[in-house]
Amino acid sequence: MQSVDRVRRIFGGFLYGCGVVAGVITFLMMCLVLVNAVLRFAFNAPIAGTLEITECALPLLIFLSLALTQYEGGHIHVVLVTQHFSQFWQRSTQLLAMLLGAAFFAWCSYAAWGFATKSLAMNEQEWGAIRFPLYPVKFAIFFGLALLTIQFVLDAIAIMAGLTPGQRNTEVLEGVE
Amino acid sequence: MSGLATGLIGVLALFAAILLGVNVMVALGLVGALGLASLVGFKAATAVLSTVFFDTTHSFHFSVIPLFLLMGFFAMRAGLGEDLFAATSKWLGNLPGGLAISTTIGAAAFGAASGSSVGTATVFTKLALPEMLDRGYDKRLASASIAIAGTLAVMIPPSALVVVYGILTDSSIGGLLVAGVIPGVVFALILCLATCLTVLRRPELAPTTPVTATLREKVASLRLAGPLVLVIACIISGLYLGIFTPTEAGAIGAAFTFLLAIIRQRGLRRIRLKDTLLDTIRTSAMIFGIIICALVFSKFLALSGLANTVGSFLTTLDVNRWIIVALIACIYLALGMMMDAPALLAITLPITHPVMLKLGYDPIWFGVFVVLLAEIGAVTPPVGINCFVVQASSAGRVKLEDVFAGLVPYVIAGFVMLVLLCVFPQLALFLPETMK
């Protein structure tokens, strides 16, 4: 049980690092959009490429933080019915939820990998005021989805080992922070 | 199996999965993807999954969500709720039920900045509840006035929930944001009126203890609260006049609130910038996870023909269209008691939005209507989230029953607002129709 918890925590530490990177991207995006708006309004001199950079920043910040949110139990789920189940059935439904999550995001990761490799093969470009390759963003999406799949698998193993993964955003019982 | 039957099974499977505790995001995505696979094959479903994540998030306009959230978390970290409550209680404290009214107005302003119904309820429970109870206010009135005031956060722009509605229904985000202004202000006034009438009928609920403040003190109380209100007004007017886009409004609001936080907390250390950014990205991930998976589910429902069939059935019924609106309102109120607003919108809009369009309702009006319904659901038993938050943050000074019992006049006020929106749709539509 301890080794499962240790692996989960080590992986959580890595996800935390990804989350910090996503946070920095968010802050930089705020600065870029702000400066662009001010320069455009005051001097009619917007920063070239703001739109394209912001467009690519959003998927990075979302997909770098999806798995961290799952690690901390931040995705919404409803316990209105399951809270009345016995301990055994509560754990069984939790396990089912994690396995379904793992299966779905494994499918998504497979799909996103194909999409990213195609983009790389054709050297797909972002078109606009500035040009740059799009495939890194698509690989980042695959990376985020793969991390989320791993996190679901780890949560499923944790439940089987008798641990309780993050319960941060459980509607009804705890509801909110 | 016909597409319609597959669609029906999909809807039932979605609700079953959610009630069994599967993440709302996973339930939406998995049922949607499996449904697509059964209708058009595994390869086509995989093709949808390969593009939907990139296509949804690769957008300048949708970047508004993390920026509004960032603004809200900065406002919370800055402690601006304290300044707003201090200011409103100095200006309005002498009215009947003055502290409850001050809470409503303060929460409306703070909620506009934070955009979080739950966050606003938490902050004002800590700030206003002890003061009201110490002055002899009835527990039920005090706690309920805070729980309902939290709901103003998602009505008055900037509001991330309204943007979620815009993304899910492909409606104008700027128009939706501006549309919430008048209904939000009117709802705040109706809530104040509800407090006044309750206290006038039963004065013992809120003993009058004069709040003494000189004009100088009143003006001084606006030192930080004033600029926050000003920046919200600038954001709304900037959107209305077409000076900047919603995303730029989000960035300006976040940067300005960040500046206010630095001034109020005398530096960066107490703002805990890293934690604020992590809170922002976690909530953004949660919201976008639901949005993306809801879009997969929405594609499945559209392809199954269920949404279209339900729409056609309801529009050909020989009943007044307002009965259908009332039916939809009941569904939202019932579901709103069970789940968070973004999840509620994600699950229901693929069906209700096309129906409302077929019935001839404006999507922007429907957005305001739905958001109000979701928020009334958030304070209604058995599972009003805001009520739990108020009780949990009250350090044991109020019971959950007190909060629910005190909410009766405010829920009635909510229904009055719904009726007003139906009778006078221009409350929501005037600003979007005249904006540049």
Side-chain angles (χ1 to χ4, degrees), chain B residues 145-191:
Chain B
S145 65
I146 297 170
I148 192 75
T151 64
L152 292 167
V154 291
M155 286 288 290
I156 302 173
S159 159
L161 186 65
V162 166
V163 181
V164 171
Y165 173 90
I167 296 174
L168 289 171
T169 61
D170 204 14
S171 308
S172 157
I173 290 171
L176 278 164
L177 286 169
V178 169
V181 177
I182 297 176
V185 172
V186 171
F187 189 35
L189 293 176
I190 291 175
L191 292 179

Side-chain angles (χ1 to χ4, degrees), chain A residues 77-94 170-174, chain B residues 12 14-22 334-335 337-339 382-383:
Chain A
H77 60 287
V78 176
V79 294
L80 186 70
V81 174
T82 54
Q83 64 179 318
H84 301 295
F85 288 2
S86 67
Q87 190 73 12
F88 171 79
W89 284 108
Q90 279 191 27
R91 295 200 82 79
S92 302
T93 50
Q94 281 174 6
T170 302
E171 290 292 330
V172 182
L173 278 183
E174 283 109 336
Chain B
L12 292 176
L14 175 71
F15 278 96
I18 288 172
L19 289 176
L20 280 175
V22 177
L335 292 176
M337 294 172 198
M338 285 188 265
M339 61 184 75
V383 195

Side-chain angles (χ1 to χ4, degrees), chain A residues 40 72 76 107 115 126 176, chain B residues 24 46 50 58 248 282 389:
Chain A
R40 193 193 66 226
E72 294 175 348
I76 296 173
W107 187 2
F115 197 47
E126 172 84 39
V176 280
Chain B
V24 173
T46 306
S50 71
H58 183 249
E248 288 171 343
R282 281 187 201 111
V389 168

Side-chain angles (χ1 to χ4, degrees), chain B residues 119-161:
Chain B
T120 305
T122 311
V123 167
F124 275 80
T125 303
K126 287 176 181 160
L127 291 173
L129 189 70
E131 192 151 345
M132 282 198 265
L133 295 182
D134 291 348
R135 292 199 192 185
Y137 272 54
D138 182 82
K139 283 179 184 178
R140 288 165 295 183
L141 175 76
S143 55
S145 65
I146 297 170
I148 192 75
T151 64
L152 292 167
V154 291
M155 286 288 290
I156 302 173
S159 159
L161 186 65

